[in-house]
Amino acid sequence: MPLWLLLAAAPCPAAGIEDMRSHGSTQGLYEIRERARAFVAQHNAKGGVIWHAGEPNLKVFVPRCAVALDARWDTIRWSSTDARGAVIPQSRRVIAVRCARTVDPPQQWDVHVPVTTNGSAPRER
């Protein structure tokens, strides 16, 4: 079998987030992650708790932003139940990377990027 045919039949490695750049009508997850990292670096420069930005969910697909990305702290809230059936409210701090206006059609979106501090995910109760 020719070598080119073997290479064509081989499974392609999954693209890393570095390869997920903005193009056409799609906003890149790379740029979203980098905005979250810059936001965390600004907060880390103030001293105190050291934060680490993770990566956005690789399944996220959002339209391209027409303006500069913004970032802010946000909280995700959910509930779970314990063995007795009692509802336990929980929350987790994240960075919301925000687009105030997309290219076409004009709309807004937020992508949540997880954060950790000192090796653990910060939880609020």
Side-chain angles (χ1 to χ4, degrees):
M1 187 177 281
L3 181 58
W4 66 267
L5 190 56
L6 287 173
L7 292 174
C12 295
I17 202 162
E18 281 75 22
D19 298 326
M20 297 177 166
R21 310 267 177 143
S22 296
H23 67 279
S25 61
T26 305
Q27 183 68 41
L29 294 179
Y30 173 83
E31 287 86 2
I32 292 170
R33 181 191 69 183
E34 292 306 301
R35 181 61 190 107
R37 285 182 174 180
F39 177 79
V40 163
Q42 288 174 332
H43 282 273
N44 288 347
K46 296 176 186 175
V49 176
I50 301 298
W51 297 92
H52 305 280
E55 294 191 352
N57 185 327
L58 297 179
K59 296 178 184 177
V60 169
F61 182 82
V62 290
R64 190 161 190 167
C65 199
V67 296
L69 296 174
D70 192 21
R72 63 180 168 79
W73 292 114
D74 201 0
T75 302
I76 297 175
R77 291 174 171 52
W78 72 95
S79 297
S80 61
T81 54
D82 64 12
R84 296 169 292 156
V87 176
I88 303 168
Q90 298 182 355
S91 63
R92 182 168 193 253
R93 195 168 210 189
V94 295
I95 299 167
V97 175
R98 178 170 189 69
C99 172
R101 192 181 60 190
T102 59
V103 176
D104 188 38
Q107 57 184 332
Q108 299 176 1
W109 52 254
D110 285 41
V111 172
H112 290 145
V113 177
V115 291
T116 57
T117 176
N118 301 330
S120 63
R123 295 198 180 266
E124 300 171 5
R125 286 266 239 204

